[in-house]
């Protein structure tokens, strides 16, 4: 039981660290509908659960081929982040301040359905090599403690719930009406958020390739 509590604490601390997952959920919360952002948070949680589940029960295989696995995930993750960044490039060609650019904004606007938001979140998390390294390290500790099948399964469920709860709270806070009312230039904020997100996704991709 104490190991389970320690895992929960470590998981919450890890979730608070900024990274591609946080950048994606913030971008979708500020620039898309609240519902789509909630689906993005759910997708991120499903990604965590998938990685945790595989690491919990296939750990010996992953440890034996850890370097190959991480390199594959790093390569695919970089490609996906570059693709996300490229999707937001049109926002660099429109003015966030002039109302006359509304038609251009509509032309370049990127519609993301709830399903697409879910898939975005899932792929963003599962293609993050740091997430794989985190769960491999965490479950190495769990298996070293001879934790039963039941507690391993419960740990995976806990990781899903922790990830879903954290990112759902982030979305709920960023999409609150009171916050939006305080942001007098919400349209301008959306444009700048997309610009910053495009840069962050590209930076994370470069870091994955060269670090």
């Amino acid at each position: 039981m104490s190991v389970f509590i320690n895992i929960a604490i470590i998981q919450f601390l890890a979730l608070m660290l900024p990274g591609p997952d946080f950048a994606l959920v913030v971008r979708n919360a500020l620039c898309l509908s609240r519902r789509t952002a909630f689906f993005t948070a759910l997708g991120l949680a499903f990604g965590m659960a998938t990685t945790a589940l595989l690491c919990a029960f296939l750990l010996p295989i992953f440890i034996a081929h850890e370097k190959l696995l991480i390199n594959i995930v790093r390569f695919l993750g970089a490609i996906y982040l570059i693709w996300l960044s490229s999707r937001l490039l049109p926002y660099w060609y429109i003015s966030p301040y002039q109302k006359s650019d509304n038609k251009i904004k509509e032309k370049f606007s990127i519609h993301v359905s709830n399903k697409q938001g879910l898939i975005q979140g899932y792929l963003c998390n599962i293609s993050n090599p740091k997430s794989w390294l985190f769960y491999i390290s965490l479950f190495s500790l769990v298996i070293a403690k001879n934790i039963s099948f039941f507690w391993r399964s419960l740990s995976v469920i806990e990781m899903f719930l922790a990830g879903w709860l954290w990112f759902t709270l982030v979305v709920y806070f960023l999409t609150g009406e009171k916050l939006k009312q305080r942001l007098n230039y919400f349209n301008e904020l959306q444009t700048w958020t997309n610009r910053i997100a495009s840069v962050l996704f590209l930076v994370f991709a470069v870091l994955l390739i060269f670090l």
Side-chain angles (χ1 to χ4, degrees):
M1 183 66 179
S2 60
V3 174
F4 178 74
I5 295 174
N6 290 335
I7 288 176
I9 295 173
I10 294 172
Q11 172 78 355
F12 270 110
L13 292 175
L15 286 170
M16 294 179 185
L17 296 175
D21 294 350
F22 190 78
L24 178 66
V25 80
V26 169
R27 182 265 165 185
N28 284 4
L30 292 176
C31 302
L32 304 176
S33 68
R34 169 181 272 192
R35 186 175 178 84
T36 300
F38 278 139
F39 272 90
T40 302
L42 184 61
L44 290 167
F46 274 125
M48 294 176 194
T50 300
T51 307
L53 183 66
L54 293 173
C55 291
F57 298 102
L58 298 177
L59 186 64
I61 298 175
F62 289 158
I63 291 179
H65 303 88
E66 180 179 348
K67 187 175 182 180
L68 176 62
L69 171 67
I70 297 303
N71 284 335
I72 292 174
V73 174
R74 178 184 289 119
F75 176 74
L76 295 177
I79 291 177
Y80 181 65
L81 290 173
I82 291 172
W83 179 80
L84 281 179
S85 177
S86 68
R87 292 271 292 170
L88 301 177
L89 286 180
Y91 287 95
W92 287 95
Y93 296 96
I94 60 178
S95 170
Y97 305 110
Q98 297 179 7
K99 294 182 179 180
S100 59
D101 283 342
N102 285 339
K103 291 183 179 179
I104 301 178
K105 290 181 182 180
E106 291 178 3
K107 177 181 178 181
F108 284 121
S109 63
I110 301 171
H111 175 71
V112 179
S113 66
N114 296 334
K115 181 180 178 181
Q116 289 172 325
L118 179 73
I119 295 173
Q120 274 189 359
Y122 183 80
L123 292 179
C124 184
N125 181 267
I126 205 171
S127 62
N128 186 352
K130 291 185 178 180
S131 178
W132 286 89
L133 285 172
F134 172 76
Y135 288 116
I136 288 174
S137 302
L138 194 60
F139 280 104
S140 295
L141 171 64
V142 170
I143 292 179
K145 295 286 185 179
N146 296 318
I147 302 302
S148 66
F149 177 89
F150 171 77
W151 284 109
R152 287 193 219 175
S153 302
L154 199 61
S155 296
V156 173
I157 295 173
E158 180 275 329
M159 290 173 183
F160 167 79
L161 292 175
W164 175 75
L165 177 61
W166 167 250
F167 287 118
T168 296
L169 288 174
V170 172
V171 172
Y172 184 81
F173 173 76
L174 292 176
T175 56
E177 290 300 324
K178 290 184 178 180
L179 179 62
K180 286 185 178 181
Q181 290 174 1
R182 294 178 181 178
L183 299 173
N184 297 324
Y185 302 99
F186 189 67
N187 291 330
E188 289 78 1
L189 176 65
Q190 287 184 327
T191 302
W192 279 108
T193 299
N194 281 303
R195 290 180 175 182
I196 294 171
S198 69
V199 174
L200 288 177
F201 289 143
L202 188 60
V203 169
F204 287 135
V206 172
L207 291 176
L208 286 181
I209 295 173
F210 295 103
L211 295 182

